[in-house]
Amino acid sequence: MVVFESRIIVLMQPLLPKATTGMLGVAAWLALAPATAVAQEAGTNAPRWSVVPRVSVTERFTDNVSLSSTGKKSELVTTVRPGISIRSNAGRLKGNFDYSLNQIMYARGSSARQSQNALNSALSLEAVDGFAFVDFSGTISQQSVSAFGTQSTDGSSLNGNSTETSTFRLSPYLKGNFAGIADYEVRYGWTNSNSDAANTSDIRTTDASINLSGAVRGGPLGWSAGWSSQDVKYSLGRSIQSDRLNGALTYAFNPQVSGSLLVSRESNNYTSAAKQTYGSAGLGLNWRLSDRTTIAAQIENRSFGQSHNISISHRTARTAWRFSDVRDVANSPAQSGVTTLGSLSDLLFSQFSSLEPDPLKRAELVSRFMQDNGLSADTQVISNFLTSTVSLQRRQEASFALLGVRDTITFIMNRGSNSSLGTFVTAVDDLSTNTVVHQSGFSMLYAHRLTPDMSMNVLVSRQSTSGNGGASGTTLRALDFSVSSRLGRNMSASVGARRVFFDSATNPYTETALTGNLNVQF
């Protein structure tokens, strides 16, 4: 079984970019290398490993395959998706690895056959018991190049403003306790981000950090100290370096409330050709009203102005509520784009954070929820856009989820702004032509279980973009309706309809599409 699954990546190599193939190889090794040892562990019948190959076929009839405002062209689009899903919930390796290769064919010849990769992976390997670990994460998806270009909700549409992007991160680290005095973590990381678009930067990031924390004689006073360093290389711009020393004193007023005093000294070249050194200070608050309700806030004066991170979460037996407000610098691929949301799986991953804080377990929860309700992980809800320099971001997000026995409702609303901090950038992107880019939107999903094997889903979304560089704003509105059903133990099918409205001064369009999907697991 392990040999068979590992060969899938090998067979796909001719269709994959060289860098992507290499990082997928690392992920496959992390996912499959410990399989034999885990399978041989005795004393439990609990599920530890799940390796599920699959293939799905989607037929989509659209009245506007090129998303045109004038020359609409109908098309029948066939998408064949061979893929594999690997999950582990125990042993040395925990996490998920989900990959598919999408082959897209156009019956009326609107385009030649296209190949698109889709990856969502988060793995954590415990190399040495309680001491040495390796984290790996990887994503491959379709993203908008510009927030002001044509936006779409389906990757098989012919859209020149859409490109394939990949981000991979490998991070080994050590953690433990030093002589009963302090907990420590020493971490190193590599992050690579690539895009198929010619006018956007590929980004290479290396970072290192050392963090210590402890308590004074086991009393209410705690402390922490840390050092971090980061080097970000943009292929179409200059490198960004930053180093930071920080410390904090935390006092627990009672078991529910604690406050922190923060101090730091940082050196960076965000806004200058050479690195400059700055001092900063701030305050933090953690208030645990109950096991179900928490409030956390942190505010600091940084070299680029005030930064803050505020979060409020509340959950009940059937609901989850969450609000967050973050203002900070973004200089790594994982932070690029105004919003953290893109696909439907991204949206649910964010919303379920109140239900499951652990990111590995949450990814499994999202995957199981989407599979049970016949939802496609590739559905685009709120589009990101690509940037080629360090930027200052403000993100606000409010979400609500109701998880009933037969009905599920999720709602998320977000607002964000993005402005460039970098200089000497040769790439022409949204932040080089606009002082600030604003984005806002919402998405609502209603899923209803008609029978134990049949579900109905309605997805409504809206996103608006505006700037101050002369480019006209855009608004994308979409309505999706689908019904899915299990046809057997390893087979499911769905049919659906979608209506899209895109408002833009340069290329407004409408689209109506009908879809049918058959998915088989082996």
Side-chain angles (χ1 to χ4, degrees), residues 23 116 141 170 174 187 232 272 276 307 365 422 515:
M23 294 308 293
Q116 295 178 356
S141 63
L170 185 66
L174 307 174
R187 183 183 288 269
V232 185
S272 58
Q276 296 184 358
S307 71
L365 177 64
T515 61

Side-chain angles (χ1 to χ4, degrees), residues 191-337:
T191 307
N192 288 345
S193 181
N194 297 279
S195 167
D196 289 345
N199 60 340
T200 59
S201 281
D202 292 335
I203 309 173
R204 304 288 182 268
T205 304
T206 57
D207 57 84
S209 63
I210 300 174
N211 291 293
L212 304 170
S213 62
V216 178
R217 297 179 181 177
L221 184 64
W223 61 271
S224 63
W227 166 84
S228 62
S229 180
Q230 187 178 65
D231 185 5
V232 185
K233 292 182 170 61
Y234 297 90
S235 62
L236 298 181
R238 66 189 182 105
S239 297
I240 300 294
Q241 292 91 29
S242 61
D243 302 286
R244 192 179 189 199
L245 285 170
N246 61 276
L249 289 176
T250 301
Y251 186 82
F253 298 99
N254 55 52
Q256 288 76 40
V257 182
S258 64
S260 300
L261 176 64
L262 314 172
V263 294
S264 66
R265 191 161 185 83
E266 60 182 314
S267 177
N268 61 63
N269 62 341
Y270 294 158
T271 58
S272 58
K275 292 172 70 174
Q276 296 184 358
T277 302
Y278 311 85
S280 62
L283 298 172
L285 172 68
N286 281 278
W287 186 3
R288 190 178 181 87
L289 283 77
S290 68
D291 291 339
R292 297 174 177 267
T293 306
T294 59
I295 299 174
Q298 182 172 304
I299 301 175
E300 292 184 83
N301 288 317
R302 301 280 301 279
S303 60
F304 50 84
Q306 185 189 85
S307 71
H308 64 253
N309 189 336
I310 301 170
S311 65
I312 303 172
S313 64
H314 173 71
R315 61 183 176 87
T316 67
R318 293 291 183 182
T319 66
W321 309 72
R322 184 170 179 267
F323 171 79
S324 65
D325 186 347
V326 180
R327 186 179 191 267
D328 205 348
V329 65
N331 54 6
S332 67
Q335 298 169 306
S336 296

Side-chain angles (χ1 to χ4, degrees), residues 62-241:
T62 172
D63 68 345
N64 193 1
V65 67
S66 58
L67 309 180
S68 173
S69 59
T70 54
K72 278 189 173 185
K73 182 179 180 180
S74 60
E75 181 63 275
L76 182 64
V77 184
T78 302
T79 304
V80 181
R81 298 183 181 90
I84 182 173
S85 177
I86 305 172
R87 298 180 190 172
S88 174
N89 60 10
R92 291 185 178 274
L93 182 69
K94 297 181 177 67
N96 68 286
F97 175 89
D98 191 285
Y99 173 78
S100 63
L101 179 62
N102 302 339
Q103 298 293 307
I104 306 172
M105 294 154 283
Y106 302 85
R108 298 184 61 185
S110 301
S111 172
R113 188 180 75 171
Q114 296 186 15
S115 296
Q116 295 178 356
N117 300 285
L119 173 69
N120 189 356
S121 178
L123 300 166
S124 181
L125 174 66
E126 187 175 8
V128 179
D129 290 345
F131 176 67
F133 303 82
V134 180
D135 286 348
F136 173 84
S137 62
T139 60
I140 307 177
S141 63
Q142 306 300 309
Q143 288 195 30
S144 296
V145 177
S146 169
F148 301 98
T150 302
Q151 308 294 313
S152 62
T153 61
D154 195 304
S156 64
S157 298
L158 302 179
N159 184 2
N161 189 48
S162 179
T163 186
E164 183 168 292
T165 63
S166 62
T167 299
F168 297 96
R169 178 170 173 80
L170 185 66
S171 178
Y173 66 99
L174 307 174
K175 72 175 184 178
N177 183 271
F178 181 72
I181 301 174
D183 295 324
Y184 66 85
E185 180 183 282
V186 181
R187 183 183 288 269
Y188 194 81
W190 301 270
T191 307
N192 288 345
S193 181
N194 297 279
S195 167
D196 289 345
N199 60 340
T200 59
S201 281
D202 292 335
I203 309 173
R204 304 288 182 268
T205 304
T206 57
D207 57 84
S209 63
I210 300 174
N211 291 293
L212 304 170
S213 62
V216 178
R217 297 179 181 177
L221 184 64
W223 61 271
S224 63
W227 166 84
S228 62
S229 180
Q230 187 178 65
D231 185 5
V232 185
K233 292 182 170 61
Y234 297 90
S235 62
L236 298 181
R238 66 189 182 105
S239 297
I240 300 294
Q241 292 91 29

